[in-house]
Amino acid sequence: KTGTWLHADDWPRYVADCRAAGTARHLCVPGVELGWETDDARRKAEGWFDTKWYPRDGAAPFDESFFAGRTYFATLRALRDRGRVVIAHIDQGAPLALLSGDEIAGLEVRWDIEETRPLFGRPSLAHWDRMLAAGRRVSLSSGSDAHQPDEWAGSGLRTVLPAAARDAESLVAAVAAGRSYLSGTWHPDCYAALGCPQHPNTVAPGETRFTPWWDFKGVPALAGRDPKEVIRAALPDVLARGRCRREDHPELLAFTLDGVSSGGDARAAARVEVRAAWRTNAPLNAARLIADGGVVYETHRGTELVEVLDLRGKRSVRLEVEAEDPADPSLREGLLANPVYLR
């Protein structure tokens, strides 16, 4: 269920408000996030997960009656027929093991000040590889959570698209097709600089120093302080030291199979030329080509690769680039390219 139902009669106004809120540099994309709730025992065992739905132009809106009598999986398929379905926060309880990939258009992965676990090697990416190996076209994008700018401004994993059409529908279509890559970088702990206490992370294992506004009352050291006051104190430090600018993030300069880039179709041949080039702010740790869940090429040096590989029988190839400072492993960057599909 959701906290607030979006009624069918409200949909045209909501879409109009989204379009009116957009600017030449920032688009507001219409969509719905659905939070799925289970009984307490299952919730504690499985965590929680959200599903995002991006309607196609002309898609009929819905209200709560749309969900009556439908299971979760039947709902995914019904939503898919009306737009693009994306499973959000895939490392926080999403039932990926029960999905074939046919039900959805994409997955959202997070790597930020709240979700600090290393990006590569997660079980969620193994499930993504399983879907790709079965011939599903499931794209990966970064999470859209941005609850307050001082926390997420420089730490969020970003989805990077080619500079083509700038309207909302075209951008959503490009993300769904996988014509994109993900770029993530480190972020200084500005909350620690303000003296905030270590705070248990309720979303992922481990602890971080950031304290979101919704938890301020529960932190004794912050009791009585206006959340806006704390945020205003942190924001200048973020803008001065934070990695918020385009050049602070690593960049994927090229990734092609026989000249075909992410989201496109190349031949599954005995000789396929793979080209990739990247720019990082930290030294390269590893660059990996992954086909159907297995590493088919790996290098630990340089800023580019040109290899001819035998890809017969493979369904797709994707690229991972991992960089980190040997003197400080917390200074870590990552690039994750959506696959080139093989036929």
Side-chain angles (χ1 to χ4, degrees):
K1 67 179 185 180
T2 61
T4 302
W5 285 109
L6 181 64
H7 293 281
D9 292 343
D10 297 331
W11 186 258
R13 185 181 65 177
Y14 166 68
V15 173
D17 287 347
C18 287
R19 289 173 177 164
T23 69
R25 295 189 63 189
H26 299 92
L27 286 177
C28 183
V29 179
V32 177
E33 181 171 283
L34 301 167
W36 305 91
E37 295 186 356
T38 62
D39 58 74
D40 288 343
R42 290 188 61 192
R43 186 180 178 89
K44 290 177 181 177
E46 300 174 8
W48 53 270
F49 55 96
D50 294 333
T51 301
K52 296 181 180 178
W53 178 71
Y54 298 95
R56 294 186 180 90
D57 283 348
F62 55 81
D63 57 23
E64 58 265 42
S65 64
F66 175 82
F67 302 93
R70 283 195 172 108
T71 66
Y72 170 65
F73 301 102
T75 301
L76 288 184
R77 291 183 173 89
L79 289 171
R80 179 197 59 190
D81 293 339
R82 296 174 173 224
R84 298 178 177 89
V85 179
V86 177
I87 305 297
H89 322 313
I90 58 175
D91 295 290
Q92 281 87 53
L96 300 183
L98 302 179
L99 298 176
S100 70
D102 183 56
E103 311 89 342
I104 58 177
L107 302 169
E108 277 192 359
V109 63
R110 293 181 58 192
W111 191 35
D112 50 45
I113 199 170
E114 185 178 55
E115 174 53 276
T116 58
R117 289 175 289 185
L119 175 62
F120 303 109
R122 295 184 188 180
S124 58
L125 295 186
H127 281 297
W128 182 42
D129 283 328
R130 169 180 56 80
M131 297 175 188
L132 296 176
R136 312 300 185 192
R137 293 185 175 238
V138 178
S139 66
L140 197 69
S141 59
S142 59
S144 57
D145 275 22
H147 295 293
Q148 60 195 75
D150 56 309
E151 294 173 8
W152 275 269
S155 67
L157 186 64
R158 300 183 180 186
T159 304
V160 183
L161 295 164
R166 301 296 181 92
D167 63 284
E169 172 64 19
S170 296
L171 290 176
V172 172
V175 172
R179 297 192 296 271
S180 58
Y181 70 90
L182 277 60
S183 172
T185 192
W186 71 86
H187 190 58
D189 195 337
C190 297
Y191 269 87
L194 288 172
C196 290
Q198 200 81 345
H199 179 69
N201 191 332
T202 58
V203 173
E207 293 190 339
T208 58
R209 284 192 180 273
F210 93 95
T211 304
W213 59 265
W214 58 85
D215 282 342
F216 276 8
K217 292 182 180 179
V219 180
L222 298 178
R225 295 180 66 184
D226 180 2
K228 292 183 179 179
E229 172 195 336
V230 178
I231 292 171
R232 289 193 187 104
L235 194 54
D237 192 38
V238 168
L239 295 177
R241 299 196 301 120
R243 305 186 60 75
C244 308
R245 295 163 181 82
R246 181 178 299 175
E247 61 270 17
D248 294 330
H249 279 248
E251 183 179 4
L252 184 61
L253 304 175
F255 172 51
T256 61
L257 274 63
D258 283 342
V260 179
S261 55
S262 292
D265 291 273
R267 297 175 303 109
R271 293 180 57 83
V272 178
E273 184 183 75
V274 183
R275 289 181 175 267
W278 54 86
R279 178 195 61 78
T280 61
N281 297 293
L284 180 70
N285 182 34
R288 294 178 286 269
L289 294 172
I290 298 175
D292 297 353
V295 176
V296 293
Y297 178 80
E298 184 169 358
T299 184
H300 300 276
R301 58 185 178 182
T303 58
E304 62 181 359
L305 65 86
V306 180
E307 293 292 325
V308 175
L309 301 177
D310 182 351
L311 297 177
R312 288 174 293 180
K314 302 298 184 181
R315 307 300 288 269
S316 67
V317 177
R318 63 180 183 87
L319 171 70
E320 294 180 348
V321 177
E322 186 176 5
E324 66 179 40
D325 188 336
D328 186 354
S330 69
L331 306 184
R332 184 183 295 116
E333 293 185 313
L335 292 165
L336 205 163
N338 269 294
V340 177
Y341 297 102
L342 296 168
R343 51 179 173 78

